[in-house]
Amino acid sequence: EIVLTQSPGTLSLSPGERATLSCRASQTIISDYLAWYQQKPGQAPRLVMFGASNRASGISDRFSGSGSGTDFTLTISRLEPADFAVYYCQQYGTSPITFGPGTKVDIK
Amino acid sequence: EVQMVESGGVVVQPGGSLRLSCVASGFSFKDYAMNWVRQIPGKGLEWVSLISWDGGSTRYGDSVKGRFTISRNNSANSLYLELKSLTAEDGALYYCVKDIGGGFSGNSYGFDKWGQGTLVTVSS
């Protein structure tokens, strides 16, 4: 199975700052089938990005995704209070579908 | 509004079985693949299973293969997960999740809508 590693584990930032989250795969992700999900406490995950760089419906353009092959990045350009959450990357190009362990973005 | 409502989560003994259900609304259920994803509270996400739009293709995570069975009833807009030979490691919140695509050949295109989950506890 493809193992996803996310870094850092925790990112402590202030509102208005830029967040850069990394997701690295143990092998090439087919067709860049890489998604990012946001999860807040007590809530279900929410799709943020799919196909590495396609924003999901209703997601602010402050969110951008990039990367290909084995290295992917989610960038939040100017953090707003609602952005503080845990972010998971996921590869869905190869079965079994796998998730990374998550990056927690918390308020500094 | 797209909505998935899960049910069936209970406290079950090790070695036991149960069936989870999910009723979907707000979209053309028969056109999309569906998934089950689980999460131990406070921990990460684990994909469990996928079923194609017509039920013709199914996929399972390694930890549940041979013990869990996914199925669907498009006439009832419903998704199911049969869980058998349960262990403590199967205790989790189980989410019903809509796929972006139809699941042709068992392939996913990402997960765009999630239910709120149903909690399974495995304990004697």
Side-chain angles (χ1 to χ4, degrees):
Chain A
E1 74 175 42
I2 295 178
V3 176
L4 299 179
T5 302
Q6 291 188 243
S7 60
T10 301
L11 196 51
S12 297
L13 295 168
S14 300
E17 290 192 297
R18 180 186 189 92
T20 303
L21 288 66
S22 173
C23 178
R24 178 164 290 177
S26 60
Q27 54 187 280
T28 296
I29 294 176
I30 292 172
S31 302
D32 293 339
Y33 280 175
L34 190 285
W36 292 91
Y37 299 87
Q38 175 193 71
Q39 188 176 33
K40 298 178 182 179
Q43 296 185 17
R46 178 191 185 192
L47 178 66
V48 174
M49 203 74 58
F50 64 98
S53 60
N54 300 286
R55 268 190 306 276
S57 176
I59 299 298
S60 167
D61 60 6
R62 295 181 296 99
F63 288 81
S64 62
S66 64
S68 66
T70 60
D71 289 295
F72 298 84
T73 301
L74 177 70
T75 302
I76 311 171
S77 60
R78 297 173 308 280
L79 282 165
E80 294 188 355
D83 301 335
F84 291 92
V86 178
Y87 291 83
Y88 296 95
C89 62
Q90 174 211 39
Q91 70 79 22
Y92 51 91
T94 300
S95 190
I97 294 167
T98 51
F99 289 91
T103 289
K104 183 178 182 180
V105 180
D106 67 13
I107 300 178
K108 189 173 182 181
Chain B
E1 179 192 4
V2 172
Q3 193 172 11
M4 277 75 69
V5 179
E6 303 94 336
S7 61
V10 292
V11 178
V12 60
Q13 291 189 339
S17 302
L18 78 159
R19 188 196 204 200
L20 306 182
S21 299
C22 166
V23 177
S25 60
F27 67 101
S28 182
F29 181 78
K30 65 179 176 58
D31 291 330
Y32 293 92
M34 296 295 294
N35 298 268
W36 288 99
V37 175
R38 67 185 182 183
Q39 183 176 38
I40 296 170
K43 302 298 184 184
L45 301 166
E46 180 185 12
W47 171 75
V48 172
S49 184
L50 172 150
I51 187 168
S52 61
W53 65 280
D54 63 348
S57 292
T58 57
R59 297 283 186 266
Y60 297 93
D62 291 342
S63 64
V64 306
K65 205 174 294 183
R67 299 187 301 121
F68 290 10
T69 303
I70 192 171
S71 61
R72 66 189 295 162
N73 180 341
N74 285 346
S75 299
N77 286 354
S78 293
L79 176 72
Y80 307 101
L81 185 68
E82 196 87 32
L83 295 73
K84 295 183 178 179
S85 303
L86 289 164
T87 72
E89 289 68 40
D90 295 315
L93 186 64
Y94 284 73
Y95 292 105
C96 170
V97 187
K98 175 185 171 292
D99 207 280
I100 291 175
F104 302 98
S105 300
N107 296 318
S108 173
Y109 291 90
F111 304 168
D112 62 347
K113 296 294 181 184
W114 298 61
Q116 288 303 305
T118 187
L119 185 63
V120 173
T121 303
V122 183
S123 174
S124 55

